[in-house]
Amino acid sequence: MTEVAVGQVWRDMAKDMIDRDRRLRVTGIDGDRATCIVDHDAYGTAGKTVKIATARFGTASFQLVEDSVPETDRDLYTQLLTAMSGVHGSGTSPAEYARAALRVVRAAS
């Protein structure tokens, strides 16, 4: 079974939803039900809250788009994103991203 966690973003792959590019962010889990907010929907239902059985996320009906970041790693994750955003631009090399990330990791150790 697929582990569902708060913060994950899932794309709804149901036949009637693929064209809508509907993406759901998990905001809570209560037993075997996940509460989700519609992050994106080409048909305009963004912001709507829906409840989905967690077992459905383990089927072909959903595709994990963005995994959650554990609570203990959120500060470091935010610092890494900030450092990489600071060097981002057209022509930024992978080495420049790596150096920015390395500075953050060294400062955190």
Side-chain angles (χ1 to χ4, degrees):
M1 183 173 156
T2 302
E3 186 172 335
V4 179
V6 172
Q8 291 176 327
V9 177
W10 294 82
R11 182 167 183 216
D12 194 336
M13 301 300 287
K15 288 180 183 178
D16 62 331
M17 293 293 172
I18 289 177
D19 290 341
R20 295 172 65 161
D21 190 24
R22 188 167 96 143
R23 287 178 245 139
L24 307 166
R25 181 173 302 275
V26 179
T27 58
I29 298 174
D30 185 19
D32 63 347
R33 308 284 293 169
T35 302
C36 304
I37 189 165
V38 179
D39 256 10
H40 180 271
D41 186 345
Y43 284 27
T45 64
K48 179 181 175 185
T49 301
V50 295
K51 291 192 181 245
I52 300 170
T54 55
R56 289 206 48 223
F57 290 103
T59 68
S61 296
F62 290 93
Q63 175 185 47
L64 183 62
V65 175
E66 181 182 315
D67 209 349
S68 62
V69 176
E71 183 88 27
T72 55
D73 295 333
R74 286 193 184 141
D75 286 341
L76 182 58
Y77 180 75
T78 302
Q79 291 171 21
L80 286 166
L81 285 178
T82 302
M84 292 193 304
S85 295
V87 298
H88 180 70
S90 64
T92 304
S93 72
E96 290 170 295
Y97 287 114
R99 279 191 293 274
L102 187 58
R103 282 191 295 273
V104 171
V105 171
R106 284 184 176 156
S109 332

